[in-house]
Amino acid sequence: MVDFFRRFDGPLTRELVRSPGNFGLGQIPERLQPDGATTLVCGYCSTGCGLKAHLRNGEAINLSADTNYPVNMGMACPKGWEALAPLEASDRATAPMLRNGRGTLETATWDSAIKTFVSRFKDIMEKHGPESVAFLSTGQIPTEEMFMLGTLFKFGMGALHADANTRQCMATAHVAYKQAFGFDSPPFTYKDFELSDVLVFVGANPCIAHPILWERVMMNKNNPKILVVDPRLTETAMTATQHYAIQPKSDLTLLYGLAHILIRENWIDRDFIDSHVTGYESFAKHVQDYPPDVVTRTTGISHADLERFARMIHEGKSVSFWWTMGVNQSHEAVRTAQAIINLALITGNIGKPGTGANSITGQVNAMGSRLFSNTTSMVGGRDFLDAQHRQDVANIMGIDVAKIPAKNSMAYDQIVEGVCNGTIKGLWVIATNPIASWVEGEKLKAGMEKLECLMVQDMYANTDTARLAHIVLPAAGWGEKEGTVINSERRIGLFKKIARAPGQALTDFYILRLIAEYWGCGDMFENLHSPEDVFQLMKKLSVGRPCDFSGIRDYIHINEKGGIQWPYRDVSADEAQERRLFADGRFFTADGKARMLFDPVRPPAEKATPEFPFVLLTGRGSSAQWHTNTRTGKSAVLRKLYPKECYVEIHPSDAGRLRLAPEEWVTVRTRRGIVKARAFFAATVQPGQIFLPMHYDGVNGLTQSEFDPYSRQPSYKHCAARVEKG
Ligand SMILES: Nc1nc2c(c(=O)[nH]1)N[C@H]1C(S)=C(S)[C@@H](COP(=O)(O)OP(=O)(O)OC[C@H]3O[C@@H](n4cnc5c(=O)[nH]c(N)nc54)[C@H](O)[C@@H]3O)O[C@H]1N2
Ligand SMILES: Nc1nc2c(c(=O)[nH]1)N[C@H]1C(S)=C(S)[C@@H](COP(=O)(O)OP(=O)(O)OC[C@H]3O[C@@H](n4cnc5c(=O)[nH]c(N)nc54)[C@H](O)[C@@H]3O)O[C@H]1N2
Ligand code: SF4
Ligand SMILES: [Mo]
């Protein structure tokens, strides 16, 4: 181990080599029983299940679902059971790589890789200013690493533009909550799945995307009504009490239409509105424009169904509203999320058991990113434009306030635009695969090929994005490092080290410390020797914020409690396992009241035309596939659980018209690109609509650059397409 650091023999190198958190195994106490078992949070989705790692000589030999963890109580989905496979894959990146003069990537030392990065980025920033570089990161690494990355880049290296794949995913929920509640604060606890008597799911397919949350719904003993709003007859919709197969992107009309009926019938909670909400009168006026006949025309839902929907909300004692990507990924996404929030507010369904306007998060630590990545918000959910916030952070971190930018970063799409038009010349990509996951993949690829310096930090050097890089840094993954993550119900859970990273791969934590050292700003982190040191600093940064978790003692405390939900201010004051927000009806706005926000409905950019007669929907295909499949694709077990080749769901009537045979190869074409897929006849999609799972190569070559104006999240689930034989 000492060997590959021999050219950089500073104190950090010695610490790296010695540190049990890096090359050895972790420091959590059960490590002391190397043949026992330990619990850690799964590294895929935001459900945040507890997995039990069975250890031999301190390393995991197998995983099972933890029966004691309050989230999953002994259940796990296939990805969780198979989470060791991606670590053991033969194509792991095991050494840094640099692109040579002939244009191929070849193995390099850490010293030369990081020196190359530092000299190229410094060069670019000197020539073109600090706004000529950017990073794109993730919701899939621990909060400690996000914090290090965001503070290193902005306060240490003096750069500005930084965003993450959470823009593709959670930006809408973040903005919707912030505007409505004064802070990005999903109010629920998972127990609410079990306590509601009416559950409304909008644009969410938890059977596939959050299977264990769906299990929690199935544990509901109130014989609840489950209402699902989704253009597709998904696995979730099939088990629902009622499925509303609306026209794609007509949600806002539907939700305003429901508010119209609830208000018309006086099925509202006037006391709650008067005491805890502002903007009700103008909202009530606004929804007068959405009477049932208008709603019926736009959504395709019958008048009777619409009235019954509103009545079920009214008759429910504890109604909870849940939304995911069908809402967040839309051209009017923030207002749609807020229309859901408004329904909860006018009916007083918030702050009580089994209620809430609840965004289900996606990635394991999207919630950590929303609070601490220092990208769109400053650490602790603060605002870069607020001088007092900047001063507070400078004081707590012991840095000069002048180092903190008084300007916001560009959003993901603006960074991508900069890459494509050449104003961004240096890009650092961490734990995300934008070539495959961002819209209009081909355009982005062409832009990335022009970059002066592209550095990719990933577990694998062969992702679509890493293949374009000038520098690849091999990263340890989930299971090979320690840190905390925050799940959908605000529960802070633990990643533990149960395996050794292969070859020379380092944890992102140590990669960031090395980069800081080489950049010349290592002093910023000189007291942060382990992720847990960072956690202690983040605790201080959370004090007095809505997300205050300063009452958590340390990692052991989180371990003992089975995760801890924020807020958690004082260990002696609040020991409850399950907590929800807003029980007192006070929100995080200046006057303590929630805001009702709304806009007129707008049509999406692309409509079906004679040339492109289908609406193309995209999303998750199976519970065994994760995003761009770099991890899940490594498990032989998971590979048996989904079709090997890309497939497109098409209604049998459309397939008949196009004279397709089942499973025949077709070309799906949009104005931006093509994908080959097998035709899968399924009445799950409506006539005139097709569905492509996002996990296969090239799918995002088809999607389009349309964004919500407030959250700048892409509208991945709506564009015009054509299906051709062959
Ligand atoms: N197995 C698996 N699980 C995952 C992931 C994964 O890749 N694989 N990813 C995780 C992440 S990061 C996320 S963000 C979540 C996503 O979780 P979900 O949002 O539940 O999953 P999606 O399939 O993207 O989209 C949900 C539904 O939105 C519907 N939809 C499309 N357009 C519209 C519309 O206009 N209106 C409405 N109402 N619905 C619409 C789609 O038909 C789809 O069924 O899943 C997480 N869990
Ligand atoms: N068409 C369409 N496109 C979509 C969506 C959709 O619904 N439809 N959904 C969007 C959503 S919600 C999301 S969240 C994005 C996800 O998009 P991406 O983030 O691009 O997808 P992943 O495949 O999860 O990529 C994560 C990368 O991080 C690497 N990695 C994993 N763990 C670590 C680690 O600890 N350290 C480092 N350094 N690397 C690591 C993995 O190997 C992988 O290459 O996709 C978006 N794209
Ligand atoms: S539901 Fe999510 S957190 Fe639970 S095992 Fe599956 S991927 Fe992991
Ligand atoms: Mo996501």
Side-chain angles (χ1 to χ4, degrees), residues 628-645:
T628 71
N629 220 16
T630 64
R631 284 200 276 166
T632 36
K634 303 293 154 47
S635 154
V637 174
L638 296 182
R639 282 200 304 271
K640 292 199 181 95
L641 301 178
Y642 56 85
K644 192 161 172 267
E645 287 146 341

Short mmCIF file of all heavy atoms in Angstrom, two decimals, residues 628-645:
data_model
loop_
_atom_site.label_atom_id
_atom_site.label_comp_id
_atom_site.label_asym_id
_atom_site.label_seq_id
_atom_site.Cartn_x
_atom_site.Cartn_y
_atom_site.Cartn_z
N THR A 628 -28.46 3.51 -14.63
CA THR A 628 -27.72 3.21 -15.86
C THR A 628 -27.08 1.82 -15.77
O THR A 628 -26.28 1.44 -16.63
CB THR A 628 -26.68 4.30 -16.19
OG1 THR A 628 -25.59 4.23 -15.24
CG2 THR A 628 -27.29 5.69 -16.09
N ASN A 629 -27.45 1.09 -14.75
CA ASN A 629 -27.12 -0.34 -14.61
C ASN A 629 -25.63 -0.62 -14.43
O ASN A 629 -25.19 -1.74 -14.66
CB ASN A 629 -27.68 -1.13 -15.81
CG ASN A 629 -28.25 -2.47 -15.38
OD1 ASN A 629 -28.51 -2.70 -14.18
ND2 ASN A 629 -28.43 -3.37 -16.31
N THR A 630 -24.84 0.37 -14.05
CA THR A 630 -23.40 0.10 -13.83
C THR A 630 -23.22 -0.83 -12.64
O THR A 630 -22.30 -1.63 -12.63
CB THR A 630 -22.60 1.39 -13.56
OG1 THR A 630 -23.06 1.97 -12.33
CG2 THR A 630 -22.71 2.40 -14.67
N ARG A 631 -24.09 -0.72 -11.65
CA ARG A 631 -23.94 -1.59 -10.46
C ARG A 631 -24.78 -2.86 -10.59
O ARG A 631 -24.26 -3.95 -10.48
CB ARG A 631 -24.34 -0.80 -9.20
CG ARG A 631 -23.27 0.19 -8.78
CD ARG A 631 -23.44 0.59 -7.32
NE ARG A 631 -24.41 1.65 -7.14
CZ ARG A 631 -24.92 2.00 -5.96
NH1 ARG A 631 -24.58 1.32 -4.87
NH2 ARG A 631 -25.78 2.99 -5.86
N THR A 632 -26.10 -2.69 -10.80
CA THR A 632 -26.97 -3.87 -10.83
C THR A 632 -26.61 -4.82 -11.97
O THR A 632 -26.82 -6.04 -11.86
CB THR A 632 -28.45 -3.45 -10.92
OG1 THR A 632 -28.56 -2.29 -11.75
CG2 THR A 632 -29.01 -3.11 -9.56
N GLY A 633 -26.06 -4.28 -13.05
CA GLY A 633 -25.68 -5.12 -14.19
C GLY A 633 -24.58 -6.12 -13.84
O GLY A 633 -24.30 -7.05 -14.60
N LYS A 634 -23.95 -5.93 -12.67
CA LYS A 634 -22.83 -6.80 -12.29
C LYS A 634 -23.28 -8.07 -11.57
O LYS A 634 -22.47 -8.95 -11.30
CB LYS A 634 -21.84 -6.04 -11.37
CG LYS A 634 -21.29 -4.76 -11.97
CD LYS A 634 -20.40 -5.02 -13.17
CE LYS A 634 -20.31 -3.88 -14.17
NZ LYS A 634 -20.07 -2.56 -13.67
N SER A 635 -24.56 -8.17 -11.23
CA SER A 635 -25.03 -9.33 -10.48
C SER A 635 -25.69 -10.34 -11.42
O SER A 635 -26.68 -10.03 -12.10
CB SER A 635 -26.04 -8.88 -9.41
OG SER A 635 -26.92 -9.94 -9.11
N ALA A 636 -25.17 -11.56 -11.42
CA ALA A 636 -25.74 -12.62 -12.27
C ALA A 636 -27.17 -12.92 -11.83
O ALA A 636 -28.03 -13.22 -12.66
CB ALA A 636 -24.88 -13.87 -12.19
N VAL A 637 -27.44 -12.81 -10.54
CA VAL A 637 -28.79 -13.08 -10.04
C VAL A 637 -29.75 -12.01 -10.56
O VAL A 637 -30.81 -12.31 -11.10
CB VAL A 637 -28.80 -13.10 -8.49
CG1 VAL A 637 -30.22 -13.23 -7.96
CG2 VAL A 637 -27.91 -14.22 -7.97
N LEU A 638 -29.37 -10.75 -10.41
CA LEU A 638 -30.26 -9.67 -10.87
C LEU A 638 -30.47 -9.74 -12.38
O LEU A 638 -31.57 -9.47 -12.87
CB LEU A 638 -29.71 -8.30 -10.46
CG LEU A 638 -29.61 -8.01 -8.95
CD1 LEU A 638 -29.11 -6.59 -8.71
CD2 LEU A 638 -30.94 -8.23 -8.24
N ARG A 639 -29.42 -10.09 -13.09
CA ARG A 639 -29.54 -10.12 -14.57
C ARG A 639 -30.61 -11.10 -15.04
O ARG A 639 -31.16 -10.95 -16.12
CB ARG A 639 -28.19 -10.45 -15.22
CG ARG A 639 -27.22 -9.27 -15.25
CD ARG A 639 -26.13 -9.46 -16.30
NE ARG A 639 -25.39 -10.69 -16.10
CZ ARG A 639 -24.31 -10.82 -15.34
NH1 ARG A 639 -23.83 -9.78 -14.68
NH2 ARG A 639 -23.70 -11.98 -15.23
N LYS A 640 -30.89 -12.10 -14.19
CA LYS A 640 -31.95 -13.06 -14.55
C LYS A 640 -33.34 -12.45 -14.36
O LYS A 640 -34.34 -13.03 -14.79
CB LYS A 640 -31.84 -14.30 -13.67
CG LYS A 640 -30.60 -15.13 -13.95
CD LYS A 640 -30.77 -16.54 -13.41
CE LYS A 640 -29.53 -17.37 -13.64
NZ LYS A 640 -28.61 -17.39 -12.51
N LEU A 641 -33.42 -11.32 -13.68
CA LEU A 641 -34.73 -10.79 -13.30
C LEU A 641 -35.27 -9.71 -14.23
O LEU A 641 -36.30 -9.11 -13.96
CB LEU A 641 -34.66 -10.24 -11.87
CG LEU A 641 -34.27 -11.25 -10.78
CD1 LEU A 641 -34.19 -10.58 -9.42
CD2 LEU A 641 -35.27 -12.40 -10.72
N TYR A 642 -34.54 -9.41 -15.29
CA TYR A 642 -35.06 -8.40 -16.22
C TYR A 642 -34.61 -8.76 -17.64
O TYR A 642 -33.62 -9.45 -17.82
CB TYR A 642 -34.59 -7.00 -15.84
CG TYR A 642 -33.10 -6.82 -15.73
CD1 TYR A 642 -32.33 -6.53 -16.85
CD2 TYR A 642 -32.45 -6.91 -14.50
CE1 TYR A 642 -30.96 -6.37 -16.76
CE2 TYR A 642 -31.07 -6.75 -14.39
CZ TYR A 642 -30.34 -6.48 -15.52
OH TYR A 642 -28.99 -6.32 -15.44
N PRO A 643 -35.34 -8.27 -18.65
CA PRO A 643 -34.97 -8.59 -20.02
C PRO A 643 -33.58 -8.07 -20.36
O PRO A 643 -33.22 -6.94 -20.00
CB PRO A 643 -36.04 -7.86 -20.85
CG PRO A 643 -37.17 -7.62 -19.91
CD PRO A 643 -36.58 -7.47 -18.56
N LYS A 644 -32.84 -8.91 -21.05
CA LYS A 644 -31.46 -8.56 -21.39
C LYS A 644 -31.43 -7.36 -22.34
O LYS A 644 -30.57 -6.50 -22.25
CB LYS A 644 -30.84 -9.79 -22.06
CG LYS A 644 -29.37 -9.75 -22.24
CD LYS A 644 -28.84 -11.18 -22.46
CE LYS A 644 -27.39 -11.16 -22.84
NZ LYS A 644 -27.16 -11.15 -24.27
N GLU A 645 -32.39 -7.38 -23.26
CA GLU A 645 -32.36 -6.34 -24.29
C GLU A 645 -33.42 -5.29 -24.03
O GLU A 645 -34.46 -5.56 -23.43
CB GLU A 645 -32.61 -6.98 -25.66
CG GLU A 645 -31.40 -7.77 -26.11
CD GLU A 645 -31.76 -9.01 -26.93
OE1 GLU A 645 -32.91 -9.49 -26.87
OE2 GLU A 645 -30.87 -9.49 -27.63
#
